[in-house]
């Protein structure tokens, strides 16, 4: 006889929903009220210490304690392949907006360069998103509310009286709000899904290929499917609404006829049940189910039981086991060790339930669904992937996966985000085991928006760095790593991906690492300070109106002169009170003079004023004050006219005011004046930022995403914080960065260079820290200074850099969390960003010669394998 084939169950039968209202309330055909919470910042347990994980697990236990007997909760994790084409389209749109703004303002060349940089970024993302099988992961809590003592079934529960129905809606919302408050208390930000979002979430499971193939979403195509039921409506209206909802969601046929998999449209899916949790659970063990390269859904159902009844049942169980073991002992027979272990376990459970009100017994089940990607899926390959996950889980825990032969329909339905456990593969566990098994876990650490930085390891989610994230207290980023690990290249990449979207910035470069990037941008300026032949300068005296000078400008000049004139007697630059007062009066007098004469304020005028005052004080008989004034004036000789350091204070500013990127080359400045030069440059840039920011806020600027924002990169940040005057000023600038829309990027080779009062404050207050591979001796300093956990220190010590392939970095992203990311770029971005002086710089110079100094043509050559092959053949012939 032939095999009897079961009919394919319709989507409407599986869905079992009566309605989804626009405000996010779903009602099941059995009268269950469902609300959906999306968790935005899951826990990264891999980099948290044991105590932190214990606190989170205890907090999860508090969430479970909110469940009353008979109520349940579903925790749903869904991973889909990253929609690369949609990602690239969004990136291209952002670049186009900024480029069009440049064309409108007459910067056509800059617009072309931004478009080219954007293409390089898109090429990197498009290449590596597919290579690493990048995923997008969502975390959803389905919170059902079931009426107590009410008749189940019927027409969506609305056979109840209208008052009972309205009360159930309020109770459902109250219950969900309580869950949200408990999760918010432990730092897990959540939001309620609206009706259209719930519709799309379910549609992505019932028609997965359409959900990831760029088709219009169900909420877009069928907004009429949303609607709240009305008590007293006719049976026909209710059936029509339910049918419309199922047609919108279940757009693909379902086939449950196979013994080992389910066909959903053209997709093949397999679901396994977790048959047990480890004997000793820990927060994060569920992450092992979430490392498969396939699209997956992990569904955990938790059902609350009656605590008093379970306590009595466990007590009876313990007495029964104890009696059996005593009987064996009295007969003189040895007691089975496993029987003793069961007795001890029952005793511990009974004791926990008796002494702790927060401990309960829950029925829990977990299901893992895998989907073979592609339009022509292979069931055998899917089975191998499930077997691989099963082996991985068995290696680290006692849990096993039941492949569910001949039971795929029930398992698949239990894996849906509908809070219905049709498979009923439940077992009883205590609160601590269930809390450890909640899959609100992630390896991500990025912000929702911003610059694409890299891919989480493990997890493969695309992580973004948003310097202007609303959750950041400031916009300070510290980039740290030993020489050769790629920290400068990483900053170059960040700048490429921000400049193409319209960000403007300045770089203080002491090694020439950013010159090639600047050569690609029309209007970019490279300012060479110091040296015998350079005539570039930045004058710290510049003000819009010499007749209206704020005290903050005078304070800045006093701090600068503390660096220039002090004896560096251990405090790294400090004037005494008399010198400071005399300089303050002279500085104000210089500005007063310039407001009358129209002269440009400069250091030479200050020296003249000091000499004038010295003569006046000497004539008045105040010889002591006159001596101080003369001493100050004499010590300014190196900083005026043709003095060796006049470019710091006396020469007129030569920097273009509207450059999209300004690079201050400080290689010719001696170390003894490096801090002063950095101080002057930073204040000059800050003044421009304030001017441009005010113009933007007044509506006189472009309207793209990065408009009105600025970046300042300092290659030797530690020199700014080694002195008291500049250290305080730079820390204040970091705190003000949020109000200035200023992205501060500090690069450091050794974090211990920040080991002083102001350096430690800067490290502690920086919202973003990005670490690449470190020297072993630096790790202990990092642990003590930043309060790293042992897990974070291990993650940093395991970072790697593989030249021309990838670099792993550890990102501490403020309240967004921390984790390891893999930074990968294409050839185009690589050859723009690389700063390798031995292997790459000679090739880049050769490309520039071959391209007749055209940087874009040189970049094209560098990204062409045939050009490299030609060079190799030339070397072989030589």
């Amino acid at each position: 006889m032939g095999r009897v084939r079961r009919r394919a169950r319709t989507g409407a039968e599986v869905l079992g929903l009566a309605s989804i209202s626009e405000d996010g309330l779903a009602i099941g055909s059995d009268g269950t009220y469902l609300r959906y919470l999306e968790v935005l910042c899951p826990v990264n347990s891999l980099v948290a210490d044991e105590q932190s994980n214990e606190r989170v697990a205890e907090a999860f236990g508090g969430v479970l304690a909110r469940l009353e007997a008979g109520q349940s909760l579903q925790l749903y994790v869904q991973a889909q392949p990253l929609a690369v084409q949609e990602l690239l389209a969004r990136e291209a749109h952002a670049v186009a907006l900024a480029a069009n703004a440049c064309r409108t303002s007459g910067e056509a060349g800059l617009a072309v360069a931004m478009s080219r940089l954007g293409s390089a970024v898109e090429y990197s993302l498009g290449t590596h998103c597919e290579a690493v099988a990048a995923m997008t992961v969502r975390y959803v809590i389905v919170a059902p509310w079931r009426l107590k003592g009410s008749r189940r079934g019927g027409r969506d529960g609305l056979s109840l009286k209208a008052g009972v129905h309205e009360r159930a809606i309020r109770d459902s919302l109250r219950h969900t709000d309580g869950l949200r408050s408990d999760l918010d208390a432990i730092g897990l930000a959540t939001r309620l899904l609206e009706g259209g979002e719930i519709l799309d979430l379910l549609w992505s499971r019932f028609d997965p290929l359409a959900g990831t193939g760029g088709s219009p979403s169900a909420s877009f195509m069928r907004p009429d499917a949303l609607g709240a039921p009305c008590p007293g409506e006719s049976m026909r209206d209710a059936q029509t609404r339910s049918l419309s909802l199922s047609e919108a969601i279940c757009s693909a046929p379902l086939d449950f006829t196979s013994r080992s998999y389910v066909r959903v449209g053209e997709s093949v899916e397999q679901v396994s049940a977790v048959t047990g949790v480890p004997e000793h659970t820990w927060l994060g063990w569920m992450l092992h189910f979430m490392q498969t390269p396939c699209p997956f859904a992990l569904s955990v159902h938790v059902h609350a039981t009656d605590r008093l009844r379970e306590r009595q049942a466990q007590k009876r169980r313990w007495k029964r086991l104890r009696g059996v073991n005593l009987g064996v002992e009295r007969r003189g027979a040895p007691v089975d060790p496993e029987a003793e272990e069961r007795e001890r376990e029952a005793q511990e459970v009974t004791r926990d339930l008796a002494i702790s009100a927060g401990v309960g017994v829950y029925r829990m089940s977990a299901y893992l669904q895998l989907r073979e990607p592609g339009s022509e899926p292979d069931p055998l390959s899917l089975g191998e992937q499930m077997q691989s996950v099963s082996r991985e889980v068995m290696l680290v825990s006692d849990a096993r996966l039941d492949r569910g032969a001949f039971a795929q329909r029930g398992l698949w339905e239990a894996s849906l985000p509908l809070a219905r456990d049709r498979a009923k593969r439940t077992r009883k566990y205590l609160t601590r085991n269930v809390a450890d098994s909640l899959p609100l876990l992630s390896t991500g650490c990025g912000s929702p928006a911003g610059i694409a930085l890299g891919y989480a390891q493990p997890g493969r989610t695309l992580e973004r760095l948003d310097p202007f994230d609303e959750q950041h207290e400031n916009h300070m980023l510290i980039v740290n790593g030993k020489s050769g690990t790629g920290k400068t290249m990483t900053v170059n990449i960040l700048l490429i991906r921000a400049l193409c979207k319209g960000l403007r910035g300045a770089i203080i470069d002491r090694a020439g690492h950013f010159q090639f990037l600047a050569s690609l941008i029309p209007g970019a300026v490279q300012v060479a300070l110091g040296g015998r032949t350079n005539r570039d300068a930045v004058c710290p005296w510049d003000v819009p109106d010499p007749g209206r000078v704020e005290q903050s400008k005078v304070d800045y000049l006093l701090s600068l002169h503390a660096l220039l004139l002090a004896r560096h007697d251990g405090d790294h630059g400090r004037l005494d009170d008399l010198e400071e007062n005399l300089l303050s009066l002279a500085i104000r007098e210089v500005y007063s003079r310039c407001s009358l004469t129209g002269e440009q304020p400069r250091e030479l005028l200050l020296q003249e004023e000091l000499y004038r005052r010295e003569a006046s004080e000497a004539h008045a008989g105040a010889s002591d004050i006159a001596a101080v004034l003369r001493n100050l004036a004499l010590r300014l000789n190196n900083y005026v006219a043709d003095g060796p350091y006049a470019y710091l204070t006396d020469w007129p500013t030569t920097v273009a005011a509207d450059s999209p990127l300004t690079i201050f080359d400080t290689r010719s400045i001696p170390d003894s004046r490096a801090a002063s030069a950095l101080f002057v440059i930073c204040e000059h840039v800050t003044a421009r930022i304030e001017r441009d920011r005010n113009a933007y806020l007044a509506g006189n600027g472009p309207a793209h995403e990065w408009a009105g924002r600025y970046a300042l990169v300092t290659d030797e940040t530690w020199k700014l914080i080694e002195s008291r005057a500049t250290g305080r000023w730079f820390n204040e600038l970091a705190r003000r960065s949020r109000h200035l829309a200023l992205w501060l990027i500090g690069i450091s080779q050794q974090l211990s260079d920040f080991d002083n009062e102001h350096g430690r404050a800067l490290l502690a207050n920086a919202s973003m820290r990005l670490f690449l591979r470190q020297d072993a001796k630096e790790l202990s300093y990092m642990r003590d200074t930043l309060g790293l956990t042992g897990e974070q220190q291990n993650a940093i010590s395991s970072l790697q850099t593989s030249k021309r392939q990838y670099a792993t970095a550890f990102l501490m992203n403020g309240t967004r969390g921390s984790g390891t990311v893999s930074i990968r770029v294409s050839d185009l971005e690589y050859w723009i960003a690389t700063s390798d002086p031995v292997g790459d710089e000679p090739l880049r110079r050769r490309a520039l010669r071959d391209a007749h100094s055209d940087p874009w043509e040189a970049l094209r050559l560098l990204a062409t394998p045939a050009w490299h092959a030609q060079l190799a053949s030339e070397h072989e012939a030589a």
Side-chain angles (χ1 to χ4, degrees):
M1 295 179 63
R3 183 165 60 94
V4 177
R5 296 179 63 88
R6 293 169 290 181
R7 71 179 180 88
R9 191 170 182 181
T10 65
E13 292 176 308
V14 175
L15 182 64
L17 281 183
S19 66
I20 300 177
S21 63
E22 293 185 358
D23 65 353
L25 174 64
I27 300 180
S29 300
D30 60 353
T32 302
Y33 295 75
L34 302 169
R35 293 190 185 273
Y36 291 72
L37 282 174
E38 183 169 13
V39 179
L40 304 177
C41 297
V43 177
N44 188 347
S45 61
L46 297 182
V47 296
D49 58 20
E50 185 175 351
Q51 293 180 344
S52 297
N53 285 337
E54 286 291 338
R55 287 193 296 269
V56 172
E58 290 177 5
F60 282 168
V63 174
L64 296 172
R66 187 173 289 276
L67 296 179
E68 301 177 7
Q71 300 292 348
S72 67
L73 205 62
Q74 181 185 9
L75 300 107
Y76 180 77
V77 182
Q78 181 175 342
Q80 301 273 30
L82 180 65
V84 179
Q85 296 305 316
E86 294 180 15
L87 169 68
L88 299 182
R90 290 195 299 270
E91 294 289 322
H93 179 67
V95 173
L97 284 178
N100 288 336
C102 289
R103 290 189 183 93
T104 303
S105 62
E107 299 174 297
L110 177 59
V112 172
M114 291 167 61
S115 298
R116 288 176 171 178
L117 289 176
S119 297
V121 175
E122 293 167 31
Y123 181 50
S124 292
L125 293 176
T127 301
H128 292 289
C129 281
E130 296 181 358
V132 303
M135 310 287 281
T136 56
V137 185
R138 297 186 70 184
Y139 301 81
V140 177
I141 298 176
V142 187
W145 181 258
R146 296 178 175 86
L147 298 177
K148 299 178 181 179
S150 64
R151 179 168 58 86
R152 299 291 176 89
R155 179 170 47 85
D156 64 27
L158 295 181
S159 56
L160 301 170
K161 295 181 179 179
V164 177
H165 173 63
E166 296 297 329
R167 186 171 66 251
I169 293 177
R170 292 194 300 270
D171 289 344
S172 169
L173 185 58
R174 173 188 53 79
H175 175 59
T176 308
D177 286 342
L179 293 173
R180 290 191 70 183
S181 63
D182 289 344
L183 293 170
D184 288 343
I186 58 176
L188 294 183
T190 60
R191 68 181 187 93
L192 272 171
L193 294 187
E194 297 179 351
E197 294 173 308
I198 299 172
L199 191 70
D200 292 338
L201 175 69
L202 295 171
W203 174 66
S204 67
R205 281 299 309 274
F206 280 85
D207 198 348
L209 286 184
T212 59
S215 302
S217 63
S219 60
F220 180 82
M221 298 298 294
R222 294 293 303 272
D224 58 298
L226 300 176
C230 301
E233 68 179 0
S234 66
M235 178 70 74
R236 182 173 182 177
D237 289 342
Q239 290 175 343
T240 300
R241 186 185 58 254
S242 178
L243 179 61
S244 177
L245 185 62
S246 63
E247 288 176 349
I249 295 174
C250 309
S251 53
L254 302 176
D255 185 356
F256 299 106
T257 56
S258 173
R259 64 185 292 273
S260 57
Y261 60 86
V262 177
R263 283 198 177 274
V264 186
E266 296 181 359
S267 299
V268 172
E269 300 181 5
Q270 186 178 96
V271 186
S272 294
V274 181
T275 58
V277 303
E279 183 177 349
H280 300 287
T281 57
W282 64 94
L283 188 70
W285 78 273
M286 292 290 282
L287 274 173
H288 295 283
F289 292 104
M290 301 159 62
Q291 302 310 314
T292 171
C294 290
F296 70 86
L298 179 63
S299 182
V300 176
H301 296 266
V302 180
H303 306 264
T305 62
D306 187 295
R307 186 175 182 277
L308 178 60
R309 184 175 299 174
E310 287 296 334
R311 176 184 171 186
Q312 293 172 345
Q314 291 296 329
K315 188 174 183 179
R316 289 194 298 269
R317 176 173 177 265
W318 171 62
K319 288 183 176 179
R320 183 176 68 255
L321 293 173
R322 177 63 178 157
V324 171
N325 289 341
L326 284 175
V328 172
E329 290 179 354
R330 289 171 181 172
R331 292 195 301 270
V335 179
D336 183 21
E338 292 187 2
E340 289 182 330
E341 180 64 27
R342 288 194 294 269
E343 178 189 341
R344 284 194 297 270
E345 179 188 353
Q347 184 180 17
E348 292 176 2
V349 171
T350 303
R351 184 178 65 251
D352 289 344
L353 291 172
I355 65 176
S356 177
V359 176
V361 176
Y362 298 87
R363 290 185 293 111
M364 187 184 78
S365 57
Y367 307 95
L368 176 66
Q369 170 259 343
L370 299 185
R371 174 167 62 86
E372 178 72 6
S375 57
E376 298 181 359
D378 181 8
L380 293 179
S381 176
L382 182 64
E384 292 173 357
Q385 288 290 345
M386 185 66 78
Q387 189 174 6
S388 175
V389 175
S390 180
R391 285 196 301 266
E392 171 70 19
V393 173
M394 286 180 62
L395 287 175
V396 297
S397 69
D398 297 329
R400 285 173 169 77
L401 288 176
D402 179 359
R403 305 276 293 275
F406 300 106
Q408 283 296 298
R409 184 174 71 183
L411 294 174
W412 190 82
E413 293 182 26
S415 73
L416 298 173
L418 292 168
R420 289 198 300 266
D421 187 1
R422 291 274 173 82
K424 300 187 184 303
R425 302 291 183 93
T426 61
R427 291 185 63 182
K428 290 182 178 180
Y429 300 99
L430 289 179
T431 299
R432 61 174 177 267
N433 302 113
V434 179
D436 287 340
S437 304
L438 300 189
L440 302 180
L441 308 168
S442 170
T443 58
C445 54
S447 296
I451 302 167
L453 174 64
Y455 307 90
Q457 282 194 338
R460 307 182 313 282
T461 52
L462 180 63
E463 301 303 318
R464 294 182 177 273
L465 181 69
D466 186 359
F468 305 103
D469 193 325
E470 293 182 353
Q471 291 196 16
H472 291 339
E473 294 181 354
N474 56 57
H475 303 325
M476 182 73 198
L477 167 66
I478 299 292
V479 181
N480 169 245
K482 65 183 294 186
S483 178
T485 58
K487 58 184 180 298
T488 307
M489 181 172 179
T490 299
V491 175
N492 262 300
I493 293 167
L494 293 175
L495 289 175
I496 292 169
R497 298 182 177 187
L499 289 170
C500 70
K501 296 181 180 179
L503 181 73
R504 305 214 165 194
I507 304 170
I508 302 174
D509 184 9
R510 197 167 174 79
H513 291 156
F514 301 90
Q515 287 184 342
F516 190 71
L517 172 60
S519 71
L520 297 171
I521 301 176
V525 176
Q526 299 190 48
V527 182
L529 299 176
R532 295 182 178 180
T533 59
N534 295 329
R535 300 304 296 176
D536 290 330
V538 176
C539 185
W541 289 86
D542 291 345
V543 289
D545 182 2
R548 301 177 60 184
V549 178
E550 297 181 357
Q551 182 60 39
S552 60
K553 182 67 175 183
V554 178
D555 291 341
Y556 156 70
L557 288 172
L558 287 173
S559 296
L560 175 61
H561 284 83
L563 282 175
L564 298 175
L565 305 181
R567 297 175 180 84
H568 300 274
D569 54 359
D571 191 32
H572 297 286
R574 184 172 186 175
L575 299 171
D576 61 36
D577 292 341
L578 178 59
E579 291 173 326
E580 189 172 288
N581 288 332
L582 293 175
L583 272 175
S584 179
L585 292 171
I587 289 169
R588 286 203 167 274
E589 188 59 32
V590 168
Y591 282 117
S592 296
R593 168 183 168 176
C594 293
S595 66
L596 295 174
T597 64
E599 297 174 272
Q600 288 294 322
R602 51 188 288 205
E603 195 74 5
L604 182 61
L605 301 185
L606 176 64
Q607 188 182 53
E608 292 176 357
E609 178 62 23
L610 289 173
Y611 278 130
R612 188 190 68 79
R613 287 174 172 268
E614 182 253 340
S616 177
E617 294 294 342
H619 184 268
S623 58
D624 292 343
I625 296 178
V628 174
L629 288 166
R630 181 172 180 79
N631 180 269
L632 287 172
L634 289 172
R635 287 154 65 189
L636 291 180
N637 284 336
N638 283 337
Y639 303 100
V640 298
D642 293 326
Y645 310 122
Y647 60 86
L648 287 175
T649 57
D650 199 48
W651 293 358
T653 299
T654 61
V655 181
D658 57 351
S659 169
L661 180 65
T662 305
I663 296 191
F664 297 93
D665 187 342
T666 62
R667 283 177 287 183
S668 297
I669 299 176
D671 288 342
S672 62
R673 296 296 177 266
S676 303
L678 293 176
F679 196 24
V680 171
I681 294 169
C682 287
E683 200 276 340
H684 168 81
V685 172
T686 304
R688 175 189 169 173
I689 292 168
E690 291 178 336
R691 182 178 65 252
D692 292 352
R693 184 67 178 170
N694 291 334
Y696 170 77
L697 294 176
N700 302 321
H704 55 79
E705 179 185 0
W706 292 78
R709 296 173 173 178
Y710 207 87
L712 173 59
V713 180
T714 59
D715 201 4
E716 292 188 341
T717 308
W718 64 274
K719 283 190 173 294
L720 274 169
I721 46 90
E722 70 174 351
S723 72
R724 174 176 174 271
T726 56
R728 292 177 59 185
W729 180 87
F730 196 73
N731 271 277
E732 179 62 26
L733 180 61
R735 286 189 287 268
R736 291 174 55 213
S737 61
R738 185 178 179 89
H739 304 287
L740 295 172
L742 168 63
W743 182 16
L744 275 173
I745 305 176
I747 305 175
S748 169
Q749 183 170 319
Q750 293 183 341
L751 208 65
S752 55
D753 290 336
F754 291 80
D755 192 12
N756 58 49
E757 176 188 357
H758 303 293
R760 288 189 294 269
L762 192 67
L763 282 178
N765 294 326
S767 292
M768 299 160 285
R769 310 181 191 105
L770 188 65
F771 301 111
L772 289 101
R773 189 157 50 89
Q774 304 286 320
D775 280 323
K777 62 183 180 181
E778 289 286 298
L779 290 174
S780 59
Y781 174 78
M782 294 173 65
R783 180 193 62 221
D784 298 338
T785 305
L786 301 177
L788 299 179
T789 66
E791 289 74 11
Q792 289 175 326
Q793 186 175 349
N794 290 337
I796 293 174
S797 65
S798 302
L799 298 175
Q800 297 178 347
T801 299
S802 180
K803 184 174 174 60
R804 299 189 184 179
Q805 295 185 26
Y806 67 90
T808 54
F810 189 79
L811 175 63
M812 301 180 71
N813 193 28
T815 58
R816 297 292 185 183
S818 58
T820 302
V821 295
S822 173
I823 303 173
R824 299 169 181 264
V825 297
S826 66
D827 288 347
L828 288 171
E829 277 194 292
Y830 177 86
W831 286 109
I832 297 173
T834 182
S835 59
D836 178 12
V838 177
D840 294 338
E841 187 58 28
L843 287 174
R844 195 154 57 187
R845 291 181 182 273
R846 170 62 186 271
L848 282 168
R849 290 195 300 271
D850 289 357
H852 307 290
S853 300
D854 181 347
W856 284 106
E857 177 62 19
L859 180 60
R860 186 190 66 79
L861 293 176
L862 288 165
T864 303
W867 183 79
H868 290 274
Q870 178 184 347
L871 288 185
S873 63
E874 290 178 3
H875 285 300
E876 290 178 0

